[in-house]
Amino acid sequence: MRVVVVGGGGRESALVRAIARHGHSVWATHANPAFAGRAQVMPGDPVTVARTVAAELVVVGPEAPLAEGVVDRCEEAGIAAFGPSAAAARLETSKVHTKNLALKYDLPTATAHVVRAGDGFVVDQPWVVKLDGLAAGKGVWVCDTAAEAREALAAAFAARPDAEVLLEERLIGPELSVLGLCDGERVVPLPAARDHKRRFDGDLGPNTGGMGAIAPVPVTPGMLAGCHDVLRRAVTAMAAEGTPFRGVLYGGFMLTASGPKLLEFNVRFGDPECQAIMALFDEDPVPWLLGAAKRRLPDGSPRFKDAAACCVVVSAKDYPEGRANTPILRLPADAADLLVDQAGTALHNGELWATGGRVLSVTGLGATPADARARAYRGLNEVEFAGAAWRMDIGR
Ligand code: GLY
């Protein structure tokens, strides 16, 4: 099949590998040196690229083109596209919309208030402060004190004075990312993953796009069933609202003493969760991606390796503020149990450079989570560029 992949980060690197290895012809709308030998890079509008190469499927990685309506535009052009419509993508683009949906359909979630600048709302507890709208991972402040919450609210209004801001009760428990493929009616859950969002070991430091992920996460069957139930009820709710959800729905959950509570929805594969999940995918993903796009997922569930995956992100030393700008001296090669995905890299005169905040990721596979972790960290010994940094406790 002829497939166009939109996006050029680590998530798309994993998607391109998984699709290309099953003999499909892949074009990518963004450059990534890791696409070499797997996809032809053809920069441009995804609909134009898809028309040019007579693509039968467009797979959209990042949230921004989904919010812009790329899937709607592909469908208008008669091209199947994996991902939600712009209307359905509001599950990620508007936290206030999602909170209202959760309350209307009784999905378990934290209590919250919506505030605007000048409301006079008295901040007297350590809320989680969430700026409405896409904020490239920078619109959420998890506060330990009421004073921090007041500062965060001020920062949110300084960033966008006319925005709505969600103040959410801070929930306690481990987090879990549960993703499911959706065709508008059915949800097919993928192995549960855990992202490590803080920059430093011990979950310290600033929030990032994600410093590593593991899958599957050992959780009780009851907790997992509760998360799957939320995804299914959300997809039913979206259909009832006239905005059916197709693509991959990512539920971010807090596993509390009283069961899973929804923290957020994303409308795309997580990055780096995708790298860990795709490493476990043990069949051709295209029938699943195409089925979601064409409103009929295949029956059953995809086959996953009976293994564990541990993905560790290698970033610039001063990420999330800074970016790298230095040659990459050494990288491990892909192997059956080690997958290297590039994100913030570029070729300069044929030489591979680290150019981004999150530069690349290394995913180890193993029979157990400990084996997968050990494999990933052995692979990291072969990563060499000035300032290369990673957490040592992913999956520990
Ligand atoms: N890793 C979190 C995200 O992709 O939003």
Side-chain angles (χ1 to χ4, degrees):
M1 183 165 288
R2 301 163 78 82
V3 182
V4 170
V5 173
V6 180
R11 164 186 44 216
E12 290 78 26
S13 167
L15 287 169
V16 163
R17 179 196 294 101
I19 294 169
R21 75 150 60 112
H22 289 276
H24 302 288
S25 303
V26 188
W27 286 263
T29 59
H30 293 72
N32 180 327
F35 291 164
R38 298 183 180 134
Q40 286 181 54
V41 174
M42 190 180 280
D45 178 71
V47 178
T48 310
V49 173
R51 276 206 178 111
T52 306
V53 304
E56 296 147 282
L57 175 65
V58 174
V59 177
V60 187
E63 59 274 24
L66 293 168
E68 170 270 318
V70 71
V71 168
D72 309 69
R73 293 195 293 110
C74 285
E75 289 189 345
E76 278 159 25
I79 305 161
F82 176 80
S85 64
R90 285 193 74 214
L91 280 184
E92 177 161 356
T93 57
S94 173
K95 295 172 178 71
V96 172
H97 166 73
T98 297
K99 183 61 73 177
N100 289 337
L101 188 95
L103 295 174
K104 180 170 173 187
Y105 289 91
D106 205 21
L107 307 179
T109 185
T111 55
H113 294 275
V114 178
V115 298
R116 285 181 169 279
D119 272 359
F121 187 88
V122 178
V123 176
D124 58 0
Q125 64 180 80
W127 297 103
V128 178
V129 177
K130 294 183 171 178
L131 185 58
D132 202 40
L134 285 183
K138 299 210 174 99
V140 176
W141 293 262
V142 180
C143 302
D144 289 321
T145 63
E148 266 181 43
R150 283 191 285 275
E151 269 177 38
L153 190 60
F157 287 135
R160 293 234 310 278
D162 56 350
E164 289 186 314
V165 175
L166 198 65
L167 299 182
E168 245 185 9
E169 165 203 15
R170 188 166 170 185
L171 299 171
I172 306 296
E175 286 191 37
L176 192 69
S177 306
V178 184
L179 286 71
L181 300 173
C182 310
D183 62 8
E185 286 182 12
R186 228 178 112 227
V187 178
V188 175
L190 302 173
R194 176 162 294 138
D195 188 11
H196 296 61
K197 289 215 176 71
R198 299 285 188 138
R199 171 65 179 79
F200 300 115
D201 284 24
D203 287 333
L204 299 174
N207 257 324
T208 70
M211 294 300 293
I214 54 162
V217 178
V219 284
T220 64
M223 279 291 186
L224 199 54
C227 298
H228 293 169
D229 184 56
V230 171
L231 294 189
R232 290 196 177 101
R233 289 203 287 134
V235 167
T236 303
M238 291 295 281
E241 293 289 311
T243 51
F245 191 92
R246 291 184 284 276
V248 62
L249 182 60
Y250 166 141
F253 293 94
M254 188 70 87
L255 306 182
T256 73
S258 58
K261 297 261 173 78
L262 180 69
L263 297 175
E264 63 176 0
F265 279 130
N266 294 317
V267 298
R268 37 124 191 130
F269 284 106
D271 185 343
E273 290 94 325
C274 184
Q275 289 88 311
I277 292 170
M278 277 298 140
L280 297 172
F281 217 91
D282 201 19
E283 62 176 279
D284 184 354
V286 165
W288 294 93
L289 305 175
L290 187 67
K294 291 199 156 178
R295 301 162 165 73
R296 179 84 168 87
L297 280 165
D299 292 336
S301 294
R303 200 172 56 243
F304 291 99
K305 294 189 175 100
D306 185 16
C310 175
C311 172
V312 183
V313 169
V314 180
S315 74
K317 188 162 63 91
D318 48 0
Y319 172 72
E321 286 77 30
R323 301 164 77 86
N325 187 25
T326 186
I328 296 182
L329 306 175
R330 202 157 68 106
L331 271 189
D334 260 24
D337 59 355
L338 192 79
L339 305 173
V340 183
D341 288 301
Q342 298 182 34
T345 60
L347 287 173
H348 293 329
N349 300 322
E351 193 180 35
L352 187 64
W353 276 56
T355 53
R358 290 193 293 178
V359 174
L360 58 100
S361 62
V362 172
T363 303
L365 278 163
T368 65
D371 291 344
R373 201 181 117 69
R375 184 64 189 101
Y377 280 97
R378 272 205 317 281
L380 285 158
N381 289 333
E382 294 174 58
V383 174
E384 212 183 314
F385 63 86
W390 56 85
R391 277 178 59 161
M392 289 304 298
D393 63 347
I394 303 301
R396 195 183 281 157

